[in-house]
Amino acid sequence: MFYNVSTRLEQLRKKHNFTQEKLAFLVGVSRQTIYKWEAAICLPNYKNIFKLLKIYNVEFLDLFIKL
């Protein structure tokens, strides 16, 4: 089963007990940007995807595939 990427980003953030503000600080973007990713208004670029993977300690496919 596949995840909606925006939903998965929100799940990972909550799993790690990060607020949107805290995650924004760690990634180096605004809180509004995190909101837009989670609301599927836009998606992170490849640099930010790699930052998120490192922060969450997950593999790339973990953003898309429900294990």
Side-chain angles (χ1 to χ4, degrees), residues 38-53:
E38 293 179 358
I41 295 169
C42 64
L43 293 173
N45 63 29
Y46 75 94
K47 289 180 183 180
N48 289 330
I49 287 174
F50 285 107
K51 289 179 186 179
L52 291 166
L53 295 176

